[in-house]
């Protein structure tokens, strides 16, 4: 599909090639060719069947536009009542000047000549399959950001990446690229939040690539609670290179069209991956969670729980792939997706996809979609609780089931409050 | 207090209540007995406002108010309490939180200020003692993983918290061992005042050793076919329901 945005991106790439540094040249050239061939995904692509970018792509966007955020704007956009390091991206570009990362037990800096060795060795490598949105991001990732935690270092405070879009004067297309490398026995908590200022359309195509070496530990949170006009595609690739553990929590509370591609590769024995998700939808929201857990090696464990609560005319998609490769004996892989539809016009497409090529494994999956339990509703109402409040109690209960799994106490308290606010 | 007149109700096409008449005064305990399938639980459900049943005719008044016009929550706020035969498990909602919401919803309906945390806690502790229930149980998700006895005790705890004017106990004795039965019955007895009334729905006379009724009614095929005092319950225990069935069937023929 040829769109105005595609054309201007290809043009922009050529302009950049003449001026920018030689960082990641080969991988970026490969990526732009892949994007040129594949184009933006359409509903004809199996993986994009229920998520239509047509309306989003029909608009004109400013690409990599500069923005002047006042101190006050910044303060309100990056408000977060927890003690953390703040990594600020404006319209896709990391701004060290606006960030507060002093004292971080990690290197947080733009890709540059000094870190190109580690970037080139890791960024954009070992992707499970071609997705044109990932290619598109990589093509422009010369301006990417590295979060590097040295061996045996523990980053004490969460590193919070704010993907800010300034859409006060125009629609903005932004592509933050982040490479997280946790060396041996390193640990970190990385939070990613997208927020927009203004009322035009923010279209963000983010790519986060995390590499976990032996005994590394990553806690990752995506908190998506942006304006209605925010269309957000987040591609996440976590590669467990050595025996390591990851906890990923994706919480979507507001936005327009949201698509999360979360791919986890368990590429060493005895890895653990936990994937949790919650999407609370209303109005015309569309939230699509595509997850893939690739069990490439034996003796690994993965556990996935996604819950959705959909109101209004909102639509949801859950596609959960689990691959258990031939060599991945003794795999334990579990997956569950539960959806509650609060209105007759809300809908959800849920599809678990297990592909198992090993014979000695334990795998289970389940997907349910239904209304709030009428028996539970009657019970609560028969004790004097009004219909609306009873609904809220039950919806809360579903949401808190996922929140229970958030390990960071301050973050959990914050999320509880945000959800409380969202359900009012 | 409660006045039921010629109440008919059905579920889908099946008529289950076929003309119930019952008067319950403040301070009284009424037992509704009857064989399986006679409509006992349906009567309890209809009074509480379960949507599965359609009332086709008749009236139910509570303290002069037409109950059948009210939503389940408004019936509760007017003072109806149904202790469920099978209390449902609700993961993620603790009994304490739920009761806080329920008590304050009822208070709001009655034009009262919401209860502050300290008073609520005080009330809760007092009622916990009354029904011999442990606080740790109330902090857990509502009925989730509770034993049968714990569930029933939780029902009576909630009843104590809400102080209903009309309590309907739907087969509260089913599945209880004798200790649990005694605790539950003690709770109910302690909650009895001259201003409230209790309807005990049961299949067995056993519960009535502990909760002594002023009147016993036998429900059969959707009608009250016999009423008496607690001696009637003893007679039923001894002779079973067949003689009453025979009597009732003979009358309708």
């Amino acid at each position: 599909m040829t769109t105005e945005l595609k054309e201007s991106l290809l043009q922009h790439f050529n302009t950049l090639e003449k001026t920018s540094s030689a960082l990641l040249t080969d991988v970026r050239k490969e990526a732009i060719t892949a994007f040129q061939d594949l184009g933006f995904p359409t509903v004809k692509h199996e993986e994009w069947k229920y998520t239509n970018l047509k309306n989003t792509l029909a608009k004109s966007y400013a690409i990599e536009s500069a923005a002047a955020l006042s101190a006050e704007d910044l303060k309100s956009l990056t408000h977060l009542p927890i003690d953390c390091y703040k990594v600020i991206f404006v319209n896709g570009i990391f701004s060290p000047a606006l960030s507060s990362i002093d004292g971080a037990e990690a290197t947080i800096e733009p890709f540059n000549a000094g870190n190109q060795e580690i970037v080139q060795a890791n960024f954009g490598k070992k992707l499970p399959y071609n997705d044109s949105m990932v290619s598109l991001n990589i093509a422009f990732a010369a301006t990417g950001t590295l979060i590097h935690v040295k061996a045996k270092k523990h980053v004490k405070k969460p590193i919070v990446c704010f993907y800010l879009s300034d859409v006060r004067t125009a629609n903005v297309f932004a592509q933050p690229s982040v490479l997280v490398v946790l060396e041996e026995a390193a640990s970190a908590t990385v939070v990613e939040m997208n927020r927009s200022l203004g009322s035009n359309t923010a279209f963000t195509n983010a790519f986060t690539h995390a590499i976990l070496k032996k005994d590394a530990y990553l806690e990752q949170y995506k908190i998506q609670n942006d304006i209605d006009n925010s269309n957000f595609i987040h591609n996440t690739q976590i590669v467990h290179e050595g025996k390591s553990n990851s906890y990923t929590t994706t919480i979507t509370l507001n936005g327009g069209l949201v698509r999360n591609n979360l791919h986890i590769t368990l590429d060493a024995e005895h890895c653990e991956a936990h994937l949790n998700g919650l999407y609370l939808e209303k109005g015309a929201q569309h939230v699509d969670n595509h997850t893939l857990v690739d069990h490439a090696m034996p003796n690994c464990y993965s556990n996935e729980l996604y819950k959705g609560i959909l109101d209004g005319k909102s639509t949801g998609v859950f596609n959960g792939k689990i691959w258990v490769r031939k060599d991945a004996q003794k795999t334990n892989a579990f997956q569950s997706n539960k959806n509650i539809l609060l209105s007759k016009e809300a809908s959800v497409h849920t599809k678990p996809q297990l592909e198992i090529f090993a014979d000695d494994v334990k795998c289970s999956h389940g997907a349910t979609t239904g209304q709030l339990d009428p028996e539970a509703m009657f019970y609560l109402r028969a004790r004097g609780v009004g219909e609306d409040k009873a609904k809220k109690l039950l919806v809360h209960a579903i949401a808190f089931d996922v929140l229970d799994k958030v390990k960071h106490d301050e973050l959990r308290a914050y999320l509880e409050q945000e959800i409380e606010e969202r359900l009012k | 207090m409660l006045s039921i007149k010629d109440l008919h109700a059905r579920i889908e096409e099946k008529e289950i209540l076929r003309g119930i008449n019952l008067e319950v005064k403040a301070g009284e305990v009424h037992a509704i007995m009857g064989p399986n399938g006679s409509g006992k639980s349906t009567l309890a459900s209809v009074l509480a406002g379960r949507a599965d049943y359609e009332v086709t005719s008749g009236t139910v008044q509570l303290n002069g108010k037409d109950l059948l016009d009210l939503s389940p929550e408004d019936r509760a706020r007017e003072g109806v309490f149904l202790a469920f035969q099978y209390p449902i498990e609700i993961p993620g909602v603790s009994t304490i939180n739920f009761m806080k919401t329920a008590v304050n919803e009822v208070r709001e309906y009655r034009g009262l200020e919401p209860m502050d945390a300290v008073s609520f806690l005080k009330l809760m502790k007092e009622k916990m003692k009354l029904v011999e229930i442990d606080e740790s149980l109330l902090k857990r998700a509502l009925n989730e993983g509770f034993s049968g006895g714990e569930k029933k005790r939780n029902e009576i705890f909630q009843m104590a918290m809400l102080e209903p004017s009309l309590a309907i106990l739907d087969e509260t004795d089913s599945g209880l061992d004798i200790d649990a039965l005694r605790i539950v019955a003690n709770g109910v007895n302690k909650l009895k005042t001259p201003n409230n009334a209790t309807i005990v729905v049961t299949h067995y006379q056993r519960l009535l050793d502990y909760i002594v009724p002023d009147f016993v009614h036998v429900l059969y095929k959707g009608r009250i076919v016999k009423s008496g005092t607690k001696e009637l319950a003893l007679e039923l225990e001894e002779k079973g329901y067949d003689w009453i069935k025979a009597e009732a069937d003979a009358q309708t023929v």
Side-chain angles (χ1 to χ4, degrees):
Chain A
M1 189 169 79
T2 302
T3 64
E4 186 193 323
L5 184 57
K6 183 179 172 186
E7 289 312 312
S8 53
L9 283 165
L10 292 174
Q11 226 169 41
H12 187 56
F13 184 85
N14 288 330
T15 322
L16 280 179
E17 271 323 270
K18 286 176 197 135
T19 57
S20 73
S21 64
L23 277 177
L24 290 165
T25 308
D26 292 346
V27 66
R28 289 196 301 112
K29 274 193 178 149
E30 225 173 90
I32 199 74
T33 308
F35 172 69
Q36 194 162 11
D37 292 349
L38 294 166
F40 282 105
T42 71
V43 289
K44 286 183 189 147
H45 294 73
E46 185 61 30
E47 301 300 329
W48 289 82
K49 200 170 162 185
Y50 300 110
T51 296
N52 197 341
L53 294 178
K54 208 170 133 197
N55 290 340
T56 307
L57 294 173
K59 293 179 178 164
S60 322
Y61 293 90
I63 300 166
E64 284 190 19
S65 63
L69 294 175
S70 70
E72 232 163 79
D73 293 337
L74 192 69
K75 203 177 156 197
S76 76
L77 281 169
T78 64
H79 171 74
L80 191 64
I82 63 176
D83 192 16
C84 62
Y85 301 117
K86 291 184 177 175
V87 186
I88 312 293
F89 294 75
V90 181
N91 294 351
I93 309 296
F94 171 39
S95 167
L98 298 179
S99 301
S100 41
I101 50 180
D102 285 350
E105 302 83 352
T107 305
I108 302 172
E109 59 186 18
F111 292 172
N112 59 39
N115 61 35
Q116 70 171 325
E117 202 175 318
I118 185 165
V119 170
Q120 252 151 11
N122 294 293
F123 187 70
K125 298 285 169 70
K126 288 196 184 172
L127 302 178
Y129 50 71
N130 274 342
D131 183 292
S132 65
M133 296 312 288
V134 176
S135 299
L136 178 59
N137 183 291
I138 292 174
F140 291 91
T143 52
T145 303
L146 172 68
I147 298 175
H148 184 214
V149 186
K150 291 206 177 86
K152 295 180 197 161
K153 286 283 178 199
H154 165 62
V155 184
K156 292 193 185 80
K157 301 184 208 171
I159 298 169
V160 184
C161 298
F162 287 95
Y163 304 132
L164 307 181
S165 294
D166 178 1
V167 291
R168 283 176 295 186
T169 55
N171 302 327
V172 168
F173 178 67
Q175 297 204 94
S177 319
V178 176
L179 172 65
V180 180
V181 179
L182 303 186
E183 299 290 352
E184 186 171 333
S187 66
T189 298
V190 176
V191 183
E192 297 174 285
M193 305 178 74
N194 56 307
R195 285 184 178 169
S196 304
L197 181 65
S199 56
N200 288 299
T201 299
F203 180 23
T204 303
N205 178 42
F207 176 45
T208 305
H209 195 170
I211 314 287
L212 278 64
K213 304 281 163 100
K214 182 170 167 273
D215 295 320
Y217 175 86
L218 175 68
E219 253 177 63
Q220 197 191 32
Y221 299 95
K222 294 158 196 293
I223 304 169
Q224 302 167 335
N225 196 8
D226 201 8
I227 58 172
D228 292 353
N229 272 350
S230 163
N231 299 330
F232 191 70
I233 299 175
H234 200 162
N235 309 284
T236 304
Q237 173 70 30
I238 299 176
V239 183
H240 291 254
E241 277 192 2
K243 169 182 84 82
S244 50
N245 295 352
S246 67
Y247 285 82
T248 306
T249 304
T250 306
I251 295 188
T252 310
L253 301 181
N254 205 31
L257 178 152
V258 173
R259 163 72 175 237
N260 291 303
N261 292 321
L262 172 60
H263 296 162
I264 298 184
T265 305
L266 303 169
D267 213 6
E269 284 195 59
H270 302 289
C271 288
E272 246 183 59
H274 300 258
L275 302 79
N276 296 302
L278 172 68
Y279 36 104
L280 291 184
E281 298 186 50
K282 61 180 180 191
Q285 263 182 278
H286 176 83
V287 178
D288 178 344
N289 279 292
H290 264 66
T291 67
L292 163 65
V293 183
D294 181 0
H295 282 263
M297 295 292 279
N299 292 305
C300 290
Y301 171 91
S302 69
N303 199 343
E304 177 170 15
L305 172 68
Y306 271 70
K307 289 197 170 186
I309 299 159
L310 296 90
D311 207 345
K313 291 180 176 173
S314 65
T315 47
V317 181
F318 174 83
N319 182 293
K321 287 190 184 63
I322 298 175
W323 292 348
V324 181
R325 298 194 187 225
K326 205 171 144 226
D327 295 332
Q329 300 294 0
K330 306 279 181 194
T331 286
N332 279 307
F334 308 104
Q335 182 191 89
S336 164
N337 173 233
K338 292 183 177 163
N339 299 289
I340 297 286
L341 303 179
L342 295 179
S343 90
K344 281 190 177 133
E345 288 165 306
S347 66
V348 65
H349 302 277
T350 171
K351 186 177 175 191
Q353 263 181 293
L354 271 62
E355 291 173 31
I356 302 171
F357 301 101
D359 48 29
D360 184 13
V361 301
K362 260 186 230 156
C363 292
S364 74
H365 66 91
T368 60
T369 300
Q371 277 83 41
L372 289 175
D373 181 1
E375 276 300 305
M377 280 294 290
F378 178 62
Y379 187 91
L380 299 177
R381 292 176 72 190
R383 298 287 139 93
V385 178
E387 198 172 355
D388 265 9
K389 274 236 170 76
K391 245 187 200 176
K392 271 181 194 149
L393 270 175
L394 294 178
V395 166
H396 259 108
I398 297 163
F400 282 92
D401 197 23
V402 175
L403 278 195
D404 243 8
K405 301 189 184 284
V406 172
K407 292 167 157 268
H408 193 278
D409 291 339
E410 279 181 36
L411 209 52
R412 188 175 54 246
Y414 166 75
L415 285 169
E416 274 175 17
Q417 210 186 339
E418 289 290 290
I419 289 172
E420 200 85 41
E421 197 63 36
R422 166 67 175 71
L423 290 177
K424 256 183 194 164
Chain B
M1 171 175 290
L2 179 74
S3 170
I4 304 176
K5 292 208 169 85
D6 194 33
L7 182 65
H8 290 251
R10 64 180 184 186
I11 186 162
E12 280 154 14
E13 288 308 302
K14 197 170 172 222
E15 188 169 42
I16 299 182
L17 300 185
R18 302 193 296 171
I20 302 269
N21 292 290
L22 183 66
E23 297 288 328
V24 178
K25 292 194 180 68
E28 291 177 351
V29 176
H30 288 241
I32 309 252
M33 302 185 71
N36 289 328
S38 58
K40 305 189 296 287
S41 281
T42 299
L43 176 60
S45 292
V46 166
L47 291 178
R50 191 186 280 276
D52 308 348
Y53 300 96
E54 188 196 344
V55 173
T56 47
S57 64
T59 59
V60 179
Q61 291 202 320
L62 180 75
N63 296 321
K65 247 189 197 155
D66 196 342
L67 212 55
L68 298 176
D69 282 348
L70 301 178
S71 64
E73 55 268 37
D74 279 351
R75 295 184 197 200
R77 293 160 182 173
E78 288 289 341
V80 176
F81 181 93
L82 170 67
F84 283 61
Q85 182 176 3
Y86 304 109
I88 189 161
E89 299 190 4
I90 307 184
V93 179
S94 76
T95 307
I96 293 182
N97 257 341
F98 165 44
M99 270 299 107
K100 214 178 271 171
T101 308
V103 165
N104 283 329
E105 289 261 288
V106 171
R107 288 178 69 88
E108 191 186 335
Y109 182 82
R110 294 176 186 167
L112 299 168
E113 289 289 308
M115 208 176 240
D116 64 68
V118 177
S119 325
F120 179 81
L121 216 68
K122 197 171 153 248
L123 177 74
M124 202 181 77
K125 298 245 179 215
E126 182 189 311
K127 304 297 186 184
M128 270 164 43
K129 210 178 275 172
L130 200 75
V131 298
E132 299 175 48
I133 194 165
D134 203 58
E135 191 170 350
S136 64
L137 213 57
L138 303 179
K139 283 183 176 160
R140 279 168 48 187
L142 193 56
N143 294 326
E144 198 182 34
F146 284 25
S147 71
E150 286 170 340
K151 281 182 187 170
K152 296 295 167 81
R153 235 185 287 174
N154 193 2
E155 293 292 284
I156 306 305
F157 166 72
Q158 293 178 37
M159 172 177 156
M161 290 296 289
L162 293 168
E163 297 177 334
S165 46
L166 176 70
I168 305 157
L169 310 181
D170 187 9
E171 310 242 3
T172 292
D173 51 333
S174 68
L176 291 192
D177 63 65
I178 206 77
D179 286 335
L181 187 73
R182 187 186 45 78
I183 291 171
V184 165
N186 270 345
V188 174
N189 287 333
K190 284 183 200 157
L191 293 172
K192 214 179 121 179
T193 72
N195 303 315
N196 61 25
T198 311
I199 296 177
V200 183
V201 174
T202 182
H203 185 74
Y204 303 104
Q205 186 271 339
R206 191 179 67 158
L207 178 65
L208 305 180
D209 284 342
Y210 298 91
I211 304 172
V212 181
D214 300 299
F215 300 96
V216 173
H217 311 277
V218 180
L219 204 60
Y220 178 57
K221 289 189 176 169
R223 285 195 192 91
I224 290 174
V225 292
K226 201 169 188 74
S227 294
T229 55
K230 62 183 184 201
E231 282 72 28
L232 176 58
L234 290 168
E235 198 176 351
L236 286 168
E237 181 71 8
E238 198 181 308
K239 299 203 274 190
Y241 286 105
D242 286 349
W243 62 281
I244 289 207
K245 286 186 195 173
E247 235 180 70
D249 289 337
Q251 273 174 24
T252 45
V253 167

